[in-house]
């Protein structure tokens, strides 16, 4: 926790600061309480307003709820992530739609030609990955806004998950995300954060 | 704006939902009111708690405040972004520190060997870019939490900006971000967002 003066410089009230950032933790255990489809829809309805280049919104989310769907994922998850992935009420596979540009005439109607600027697939993959990753940042905040804990996991066989769940070749899998009500926290206490002076500097002159 | 029922499913109160997402807009004009160093520090002090892999926190921010520093940026910015970049009270160059792993013994003390897992530079660049981009998502939310408007811009000569401002070769420039109090909005009204059913699906079976 920081001095009140720093928190007071923000327009966001202190309870919301705690909910989204200061008191929020990446969960590694979850209670049995389910995450409903209505909660997921409410989270998306909030974070879909976050900005993306050309308003392209390339993030796509595949929810694994049933034991059968979860069993298809587990072989690709690193051993240290397997128990929490098996026990989380909901697991989301987060991917970028590489062909997001097809929707731009609708999503960016004042410059419909933006679709053609993205005709090159390699450049488009980079755009899709970057903007979907920004949206994952918004999504993690949104999960917390719903009073849930998020458990992002990068330790998995990306190519395997992509083959298993997105065999269409138009998606790039980026991250797995466990969602649920947090159980007792295991593992280290709050890890240290870099000081502002280590992250941000002003160019002199 | 959505039906009250959806917003009411969230733990975050409606005013905060509006501040961060629903009513927030990417600004393309700004008032003359400055953005202070204390405000920037307060934003960082909030969003530094957002999760990153190995708690690596690779995002680095270079602030361009003076007319001289701004003049060095403008030649690299696309013509459509030049006026707002020149007039924003503050411009941030957002980059990933490719050698973020050097700090892991301190930032991830329960597994200090994580530094050695990231010895391969190519894999590390990908990790740095991905996690710094997540942090940019948190940062955009944080700028709004301070009551300011953010103006992310991808339209610039990345290699040129990297040479000009990060000649050390250990940073990857990702995005430019204008910060300030929003002026009158020019350009299109709120652009359409994808429906939840277009973004999120549940795997059957």
């Amino acid at each position: 926790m920081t001095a009140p003066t720093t928190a007071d410089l923000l327009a966001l009230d202190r309870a919301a600061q705690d909910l989204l950032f200061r008191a929020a933790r990446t969960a590694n255990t979850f209670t049995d309480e389910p995450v409903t489809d209505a909660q997921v829809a409410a989270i998306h309805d909030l974070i879909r307003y976050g900005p993306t280049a050309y308003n392209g919104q390339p993030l796509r989310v595949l929810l694994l709820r049933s034991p059968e769907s979860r069993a298809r994922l587990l072989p690709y998850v690193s051993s240290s992530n397997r128990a929490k992935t098996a026990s989380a009420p909901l697991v989301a596979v987060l991917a970028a739609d590489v062909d997001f540009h097809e929707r731009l005439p609708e999503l960016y109607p004042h410059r419909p030609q933006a679709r053609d600027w993205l005709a090159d697939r390699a450049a488009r993959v980079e755009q899709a990955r970057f903007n979907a990753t920004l949206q994952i940042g918004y999504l993690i905040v949104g999960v917390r806004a719903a009073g849930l804990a998020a458990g992002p996991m990068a330790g998995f066989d990306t190519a395997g998950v992509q083959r298993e769940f997105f065999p269409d070749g138009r998606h790039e899998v980026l991250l797995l995300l466990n969602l649920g009500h947090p159980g007792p926290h295991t593992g280290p206490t709050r890890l240290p954060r870099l000081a502002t002076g280590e992250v941000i500097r002003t160019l002199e002159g």
Side-chain angles (χ1 to χ4, degrees), chain A residues 129-160:
Chain A
R129 293 184 68 98
F130 180 81
N131 285 284
T133 305
L134 277 186
Q135 289 186 283
I136 294 173
Y138 310 145
L139 176 62
I140 289 171
V141 173
V143 168
R144 293 166 166 192
L148 300 170
M153 294 183 302
F156 66 95
D157 170 1
T158 313

Side-chain angles (χ1 to χ4, degrees), chain A residues 66-201:
Chain A
S66 70
E68 294 76 14
S69 65
R70 205 70 62 85
R72 286 174 56 187
L73 176 64
L74 289 180
Y76 303 107
V77 173
S78 73
S79 56
S80 61
N81 286 331
R82 211 162 286 159
K84 58 190 173 190
T85 305
S87 65
L90 193 59
V91 179
V93 184
L94 307 180
D97 178 0
V98 171
D99 292 338
F100 71 96
H101 69 310
E102 291 174 358
R103 303 291 301 269
L104 292 189
E106 218 179 312
L107 299 177
Y108 207 59
H110 55 299
R111 269 186 219 153
Q113 66 274 33
R115 176 173 58 188
D116 307 321
W117 300 339
L118 291 162
D120 176 62
R121 191 176 197 275
R124 210 165 65 229
V125 167
E126 198 180 328
Q127 283 267 338
R129 293 184 68 98
F130 180 81
N131 285 284
T133 305
L134 277 186
Q135 289 186 283
I136 294 173
Y138 310 145
L139 176 62
I140 289 171
V141 173
V143 168
R144 293 166 166 192
L148 300 170
M153 294 183 302
F156 66 95
D157 170 1
T158 313
V161 171
Q162 201 155 304
R163 271 195 315 272
E164 182 72 28
F165 296 104
F166 292 97
D168 61 5
R170 76 176 264 175
H171 293 84
E172 296 258 315
V173 170
L174 297 172
L175 197 72
L176 302 178
L177 189 70
N178 292 326
L179 292 91
H181 293 266
H185 194 78
T186 65
T189 53
R190 177 67 104 182
L191 294 170
R193 289 327 199 248
L194 294 172
T196 300
E198 298 175 293
V199 173
I200 302 179
R201 63 189 177 89

Side-chain angles (χ1 to χ4, degrees), chain A residues 4-29:
Chain A
T5 47
T6 301
D8 290 347
L9 278 175
L10 300 176
L12 188 71
D13 67 76
R14 184 61 191 243
Q17 294 179 33
D18 287 346
L19 178 70
L20 302 182
F21 288 104
R22 294 188 204 278
R25 298 287 308 272
T26 292
N28 51 21
T29 71

Side-chain angles (χ1 to χ4, degrees), chain A residues 35-45 61 63 65 90 148 179:
Chain A
V35 175
T36 66
D37 287 338
Q39 282 176 305
V40 173
I43 293 166
H44 177 255
D45 182 62
V61 179
L63 299 176
R65 192 183 285 286
L90 193 59
L148 300 170
L179 292 91

